[in-house]
Every structure is written in C-alpha cells, then in structure tokens.
Amino acid sequence: MTPLPLPRRLLAEGLGTLLLVATVVGSGIAAASLSPGNVGLQLLENALATGAVLFVLIATLGPVSGAHFNPVVTGIDAWLGGLPKRDALPYVVVQVVGACLGAVLANLMFGLAAVSVSTHERTGSALWLSEVVATFGLLLVILGLVRAGRSSWIPAAVASYIVGAYWFTASTSFANPAVTIGRTLSDTFAGIAPASVPGFVVAQVLGAVLATVVVLVIWPRHSAAVAVAIDVQEETR
C-alpha cells in the first residue's frame, strides 16, 4: 500500500515520541512525589503508565506512520525495505526533537524549569548489557510479529514487553536513542546524564542489529513487504 504523505507521517512520529517521553518523565516525577522513599513502587507506577500510553499511541498513530517513535526501529525498517530509505533521516530527526519537547513538557506540567539537565549517571557494563538485551527483545517482538503476519498484536505486545523490561533489566529498558536523548533534559526520576548517553545508544544499536539477524534466521521469508511497527490499516487519502 502506498505510504501516506511524508509530512503527515512525520507529524505522527514527532507527536507520538513527544507524548511517549512526556509520559515516561511525567509519570516518573509523579511517582517520586506520590511514593517518596519507595523506589520499587515508583518504578512500578512509571512502568505501568508508560506501557498503557505506549499501547494507545501505537494503536492510534500506527496506521499513519508505523508508530516507530524510535530511531533504531526506523533504521531497521529502512534497512529491511519497509520504509523508504530517504524517509529514515527525517523520521529520526522528528523523533529526537519530539523526545526533547516531551521532556520539556513534562517538566513544565509539574512546575519545574523547562530544561534541567540530568545528573543521573547510568553507566557500566551491566547497564550497557541491559540495553543490548532490552533493545534486542523489543526488535524481536516487533519484527517477529510483522514477519509472522501478526501485526495486529504489536500495540499490546510492545507495551507488555516494555512494562516487563522495566523490571528484568538493570537499566529499566530505555531501548530507544531518541528517548534516551530526551531524558537528559529532566533532572528527575527518569533522567539520564548526557555523558551516559553514548554508551546507551551504542548498546541499543547493537541490540537492534543482533535482533534483526536472529529474526531473519527464524523468519527467513515474509509474504508481504516488511514493515516495522504495524501495517497501514487505512486507505491512502
């Protein structure tokens, strides 16, 4: 099916990433305020809010742009031919801009400075390995469902995976370079120090590449054009 016009898709990608990061950061701020001193409960609140909103965003915006909201998803989609390669860079740009604006919005909604650069260092081999695993799992879920012809499961499956990955990875599963960059702009529960970003991004890219290799071994053929995220459900207007 012919993709929708690029400006419409870019608006969907930017808006979706903005709302995703606003949810991650905002729910982290709310959790720290509502459950002071209880980090486990704060993480649970943060994870559930993120999973719920992610489900809604993918289900709503997927028919427009594919609901990537993630540069590694976009990159792999373009690599496999599901997204025109010329569209990959614009997608990534609006995702990063949307992520940064989402963090700013969350800060403002809770009466904080629009930008407060995070001092929360997240570094070390355990966290980097966690990001490899988190991103590997995310791409395995998305690509596996697409290539198995079960794209309608993606909103629920991705949301469920992210909620679970918050808990089984030491890094709390960022699994997204744009979200990682956006979270540097909020010195709150969900923040990450700018110096920690390169290690996370490298790990995320590695996890995505490994997942793609494994998926191509498990599902070597696909009956339709590969599209990472969910198939376009509406006719082009």
Side-chain angles (χ1 to χ4, degrees):
M1 185 176 292
T2 304
L4 296 176
L6 182 59
R8 288 175 60 185
R9 289 184 282 132
L10 293 180
L11 177 59
E13 282 295 303
L15 179 61
T17 313
L18 183 156
L19 292 173
L20 174 59
V21 174
T23 299
V24 173
V25 175
S27 64
I29 296 171
S33 175
L34 295 171
S35 306
N38 192 331
V39 178
L41 184 56
Q42 292 171 10
L43 185 61
L44 177 62
E45 293 161 348
N46 192 202
L48 291 177
T50 300
V53 171
L54 184 57
F55 173 88
V56 173
L57 290 175
I58 296 173
T60 302
L61 297 175
V64 180
S65 67
H68 296 182
F69 313 145
N70 188 331
V72 294
V73 174
T74 295
I76 296 301
D77 194 9
W79 181 19
L80 294 177
L83 178 75
K85 290 181 173 58
R86 65 180 180 275
D87 294 349
L89 180 58
Y91 263 52
V92 171
V93 170
V94 299
Q95 289 160 359
V96 173
V97 171
C100 292
L101 292 177
V104 169
L105 177 61
N107 288 337
L108 293 174
M109 287 194 295
F110 286 89
L112 305 176
V115 174
S116 55
V117 178
S118 178
T119 57
H120 188 172
E121 293 187 6
R122 301 176 188 257
T123 189
S125 58
L127 296 186
W128 297 333
L129 176 60
S130 294
E131 282 301 293
V132 172
V133 172
T135 313
F136 176 92
L138 176 63
L139 269 294
L140 181 68
V141 168
I142 296 171
L143 290 173
L145 288 172
V146 168
R147 294 182 76 83
R150 305 184 71 184
S151 296
S152 61
W153 281 82
I154 289 179
V158 169
S160 298
Y161 175 79
I162 290 298
V163 171
Y166 256 86
W167 289 89
F168 82 79
T169 64
S171 63
T172 67
S173 184
F174 284 50
N176 184 327
V179 169
T180 303
I181 293 169
R183 288 168 66 167
T184 64
L185 302 182
S186 185
D187 193 19
T188 57
F189 180 82
I192 178 172
S196 300
V197 169
F200 268 51
V201 171
V202 169
Q204 291 157 2
V205 171
L206 177 58
V209 172
L210 290 175
T212 304
V213 172
V214 170
V215 164
L216 292 176
V217 172
I218 298 176
W219 294 278
R221 294 182 178 83
H222 190 278
S223 59
V226 176
V228 181
I230 67 174
D231 292 336
V232 176
Q233 299 297 320
E234 64 179 16
E235 294 292 334
T236 302
R237 293 183 173 86

